[in-house]
Amino acid sequence: MTETFADTARVDACGGHIYSVDTHYVRPGLDASHIMVAGDEVAFVDTGVNSSVPGLLAALSQLKLAPEAVRYVFLTHIHLDHAGGAGLLMKALPNAELVVHPRGSWHMASPAKLVAGATAVYGEERFRALYGEIEPVPKSRLKIPKDGDIITLGGRSLEVIYTEGHARHHYCLWHPDAGGIFTGDSFGISYRVFDSANGALVFPTTTPVHFDPEAAHASVDRIVDTGARFAILTHYSRVDGLPSLAKQLHRDLDAFVDIALSHEHADDDVMERALMAYLVQRVDDHGVSIAPSLRDEWLAMDVKLNVQGLRHWLATRPTEA
């Protein structure tokens, strides 16, 4: 019998009664959902895509948690690698509310425009292969928090912190009792294959269409200012030592912008080569022991998407009169 994702769902403890579940989006180790347990209540943070849902439900079973115990599904933002499976997952969680930024809420209730935007980025065939049919979520099951709102899960207080820069519909979720903050994409990407004796390597994600470098810098600082001991990234899971990682992100954000500006009038493939060369140097300087072909494979998709976002920023940024 062929094993399915549900049979092999990988669940790892992150500390503070938080567990990562590999969503198997594109490849293992790229994208995670997280399960948070507090008292007799449970929450998911980000969902992966439709094909991730059987594994997420299997992870609940592995942890001996009932679908009925899930009180919230938090979406840090509505990019489909984070939110594409939300509608399908909600159908299996009878008591859950979907917690989504107000700028993203109507997209989750009526996803047609969200689908059209993602299809423009990926193309019709690739979109269908990655995401399938996006299920809407009834408006009655949406919870729309304001910046600074406190949401209680099993007696634990969770603070919603709006963080723009990557997306205007992005928030982070600060869990003071655990000492961790769920950062979605606002604290960048940190694949475990790039860990070295120097620790985690983190770099920004500037995917289309809302990248704003000034807001991205401010969001990194706001995350660090919570005093969190660790961050839980969707790509990929727990990283520690936030002040040091923030320095990497600030430096890289500036470098990404410089690359975009210096290649503004070049073709996209020229900008992609420049960004790839920069990130390859970052990985090598970090002391990562990985075959160059595998290193480049892990970087390629992010480079292409980041250039698309940088190109959109160049086209829409305010200019002096």
Side-chain angles (χ1 to χ4, degrees), residues 23-27 48-52 80-81 84 115 118-119 122-134 301:
T23 68
H24 284 218
Y25 173 73
V26 180
R27 64 168 65 91
V49 295
N50 282 339
S51 60
S52 307
L80 292 178
D81 51 331
V115 169
T119 301
Y122 292 99
E124 179 74 27
E125 184 176 354
R126 180 68 169 158
F127 173 85
R128 292 299 171 192
L130 287 173
Y131 304 115
E133 191 73 27
I134 305 303
M301 184 173 74

Side-chain angles (χ1 to χ4, degrees), residues 57-78:
L57 297 175
L60 284 180
S61 180
Q62 286 184 40
L63 294 168
K64 302 187 185 320
L65 301 169
E68 291 78 10
V70 178
R71 182 70 186 87
Y72 298 111
V73 175
F74 292 97
L75 298 182
T76 59
H77 59 304
I78 62 167

